[in-house]
Amino acid sequence: MKYKKNILFCFHKAKGSYNCLFTCNTWVNSAFKDAKLKACLWTPFDFGLLNKYTD
C-alpha cells in the first residue's frame, strides 16, 4: 500500500484498536504512565488528562 504525504495529515500504521471503552485518550494515558508523568485511573474523555496539566 502506498501512502501519500500531506502537509496537514500524516497517517501511520498502528497495532491495536479502539472502542468506546478504549480510546485514543487511553493510549495517551498509558504513555503518560510509562513515562512516569501524571496520569488518570481511566480516561474515557480528554478532560481528565487535560486537567492534570492546566495551571
Side-chain angles (χ1 to χ4, degrees):
M1 179 180 271
K2 212 171 197 183
Y3 292 95
K4 196 174 198 180
K5 192 170 184 178
N6 187 316
I7 294 172
L8 298 176
F9 301 102
C10 187
F11 297 96
H12 300 275
K13 289 184 178 185
K15 294 181 182 177
S17 61
Y18 71 96
N19 58 48
C20 63
L21 299 176
F22 192 78
T23 66
C24 58
N25 298 317
T26 310
W27 298 344
V28 171
N29 195 50
S30 295
F32 283 1
K33 287 178 181 178
D34 290 345
K36 306 288 190 249
L37 297 172
K38 292 185 278 186
C40 300
L41 182 62
W42 185 53
T43 54
F45 305 106
D46 63 347
F47 55 79
L49 291 170
L50 295 174
N51 288 341
K52 298 279 185 191
Y53 290 95
T54 56
D55 291 334

